[in-house]
Amino acid sequence: MPSHEEEDKPCRACTDFKTWAKQQKPKKITISPPNEPSLQKRKDCPLDKNELGRSTWGFLHSMASYYPEKPTTSQSQDMAKFFNIFAQFYPCEPCALDFQEDIKKHPPKTKSREELAKWLCERHNTVNVKLGKPVFDCSKVHERWLDGWSDGSCD
Ligand SMILES: Cc1cc2nc3c(=O)[nH]c(=O)nc-3n(C[C@H](O)[C@H](O)[C@H](O)COP(=O)(O)OP(=O)(O)OC[C@H]3O[C@@H](n4cnc5c(N)ncnc54)[C@H](O)[C@@H]3O)c2cc1C
């Protein structure tokens, strides 16, 4: 995978928005007239590392929660392939390299929905620990991504 450094362009998907913005060439400063709301960041900009991560985890956990309870052999093999290919092409290169190492040590478990959802929750927790974020209780993964919280707050 070509690195963004080779392309001489900072990698927006590898950094948070504030750091990325600081790396850009100085821009003209626009001062908003009094009483005019200051300019907001547009909603249709390329994703930074955190936005990309949040959206990707949402997709991956949803996919695991909707995966068949009893997949066929072929579905099970395809899902394992999916994660290996995903790890090669995830657009944040440092994140992808660590994820490749992690799934080498802990290969995808794809024999059932339960197994896949738990495996993925554990992979996400590995990243959470690396970043100093709280560890998620994997017994609640289907409440978070499939059924909604048991107190009915998502209904
Ligand atoms: C494969 C991958 C690798 C990444 N590697 C890096 C990296 O090396 N460095 C880096 O800075 N960022 C990395 N990220 C991004 C990082 O994981 C976060 O997405 C980002 O920091 C934003 O975090 P957040 O606090 O919004 O919540 P996120 O971690 O994005 O989580 C989103 C939501 O998922 C739920 N959740 C949290 N933990 C779990 C879990 N274990 N199981 C199920 N649900 C859970 C919570 O409700 C949370 O609000 C990576 C993302 C991915 C997809």
Side-chain angles (χ1 to χ4, degrees):
M1 194 173 165
S3 90
H4 294 266
E5 282 74 21
E6 281 164 24
E7 293 164 15
D8 197 26
K9 202 175 165 197
C11 169
R12 188 166 178 153
C14 307
T15 189
D16 63 276
F17 176 72
K18 273 190 187 163
T19 312
W20 182 85
K22 276 192 210 147
Q23 292 168 347
Q24 301 308 294
K25 291 188 186 123
K27 293 188 185 115
K28 268 194 206 160
I29 297 170
T30 313
I31 298 168
S32 308
N35 302 327
E36 196 172 292
S38 60
L39 292 172
Q40 299 279 315
K41 188 186 162 207
R42 291 178 60 136
K43 300 241 183 289
D44 55 356
C45 297
L47 303 185
D48 76 358
K49 182 177 61 174
N50 296 333
E51 292 163 336
L52 176 68
R54 220 168 283 137
S55 308
T56 303
W57 287 123
F59 160 63
L60 294 177
H61 289 299
S62 302
M63 181 172 67
S65 282
Y66 283 88
Y67 183 63
E69 287 172 17
K70 291 182 183 164
T72 62
T73 307
S74 151
Q75 286 173 324
S76 166
Q77 288 169 347
D78 284 348
M79 186 54 82
K81 273 190 221 157
F82 167 85
F83 275 103
N84 284 303
I85 295 169
F86 163 84
Q88 282 183 56
F89 293 104
Y90 188 64
C92 163
E93 199 177 2
C95 310
L97 291 173
D98 280 1
F99 194 67
Q100 285 165 25
E101 284 305 310
D102 187 43
I103 67 171
K104 240 186 248 166
K105 282 188 237 148
H106 305 280
K109 292 194 175 172
T110 59
K111 294 220 167 81
S112 69
R113 175 187 294 180
E114 276 320 302
E115 201 183 77
L116 182 65
K118 182 170 181 285
W119 171 83
L120 184 62
C121 181
E122 288 166 356
R123 306 287 60 76
H124 192 164
N125 274 337
T126 300
V127 180
N128 288 342
V129 168
K130 180 173 78 172
L131 300 179
K133 290 179 194 273
V135 167
F136 187 89
D137 175 356
C138 291
S139 71
K140 298 197 183 310
V141 80
H142 290 320
E143 278 185 62
R144 172 66 178 92
W145 296 106
L146 185 65
D147 302 321
W149 300 111
S150 57
D151 64 5
S153 53
C154 298
D155 301 340

